[in-house]
Amino acid sequence: LPGRNGLDVIEFLRSHEFFLPIIVISGALGEELAVDVLKQGATDYVLKENLHKLPLAFFRAIEENKLRKEQLVAQSRLAESESRYRSLIENMKEAVILTDSEGMFLFMNHQFCELTGYNHDELAGNNGYDLLLPIEERSVLRNKIIERREGRSGSYETIMLHKKGARLSVSISASPVFEQEQFVGVMSVISDLTREKKQSQLLLQLFEGLSVS
């Protein structure tokens, strides 16, 4: 190839997303250059003095390219699935969060931000227990993490703090998340019970008032 070497061709093909199996045939290829060729994306290389190895390299390159295509298809399907899943969560009426094994926020939908008064950037990477829970509730919620580590889901009621300081009565349904049998976090669906609790208190006060009269 006048004016071009094997590395130029590899770079051209990869920059244009031509993911084809590439076998470099060279008269002399030192160990350092061979490593560079493979790093740049060549599937294999064969010295001209060893052309008898070319058929084996060819079939190996075809097989590796087939596996690469399968991986790309799997990654694409996974990305599509994650996109649909994220869209589903974003459109749920309930607040949804994903926290890691220590309670750090990994994901939260728009409803959760509306519920707490915080935006995404204010929540991401922060510890939910320290940021949103009254001090008296934190030890209780940390005990819940132990249950999740043991693989147990659960529902419970607690108090959360709005950004402006208001106390929110919420119901939380939490499920553990495992990857390769390793506990990595908790997915929680949160419902606001504040209005319901206030209505119950008003009804109770009304009933007590009628009883006294």
Side-chain angles (χ1 to χ4, degrees), residues 63-105:
E63 184 63 26
E64 288 184 8
N65 193 59
K66 178 183 176 182
L67 292 174
R68 178 179 177 81
K69 286 182 177 179
E70 291 175 350
Q71 290 174 347
L72 289 174
V73 169
Q75 291 172 359
S76 176
R77 288 176 178 172
L78 178 60
E80 290 176 2
S81 177
E82 289 178 346
S83 177
R84 287 195 298 268
Y85 186 61
R86 183 177 292 270
S87 177
L88 174 64
I89 291 177
E90 285 291 353
N91 290 302
M92 288 179 63
K93 293 181 180 180
E94 293 82 5
V96 179
I97 60 172
L98 175 64
T99 53
D100 68 11
S101 58
E102 301 301 324
M104 306 293 285
F105 284 113

Side-chain angles (χ1 to χ4, degrees), residues 45-156:
Y45 65 90
V46 176
L47 297 178
K48 288 182 179 179
E49 63 187 40
N50 294 323
L51 288 180
H52 62 280
K53 295 182 179 180
L54 185 58
L56 179 61
F58 173 79
F59 286 113
R60 183 166 58 236
I62 293 297
E63 184 63 26
E64 288 184 8
N65 193 59
K66 178 183 176 182
L67 292 174
R68 178 179 177 81
K69 286 182 177 179
E70 291 175 350
Q71 290 174 347
L72 289 174
V73 169
Q75 291 172 359
S76 176
R77 288 176 178 172
L78 178 60
E80 290 176 2
S81 177
E82 289 178 346
S83 177
R84 287 195 298 268
Y85 186 61
R86 183 177 292 270
S87 177
L88 174 64
I89 291 177
E90 285 291 353
N91 290 302
M92 288 179 63
K93 293 181 180 180
E94 293 82 5
V96 179
I97 60 172
L98 175 64
T99 53
D100 68 11
S101 58
E102 301 301 324
M104 306 293 285
F105 284 113
L106 298 176
F107 169 82
M108 70 291 302
N109 65 357
H110 178 69
Q111 288 75 6
F112 184 77
C113 293
E114 283 194 342
L115 174 64
T116 62
Y118 291 93
N119 63 42
H120 178 275
D121 292 337
E122 291 172 319
L123 294 170
N126 282 305
N127 189 293
Y129 304 118
D130 297 335
L131 184 64
L132 297 174
L133 296 179
I135 294 176
E136 66 271 16
E137 295 289 333
R138 292 176 188 175
S139 61
V140 176
L141 268 293
R142 290 187 187 280
N143 288 335
K144 297 293 183 182
I145 281 287
I146 297 175
E147 296 180 9
R148 306 298 164 255
R149 290 180 184 277
E150 295 172 349
R152 290 184 285 166
S153 300
S155 298
Y156 52 92

Side-chain angles (χ1 to χ4, degrees), residues 197-210:
K197 292 284 187 180
K198 287 182 178 179
Q199 289 176 343
S200 297
Q201 289 176 354
L202 288 174
L203 287 174
L204 180 59
Q205 290 173 2
L206 177 61
F207 178 77
E208 290 176 346
L210 289 175

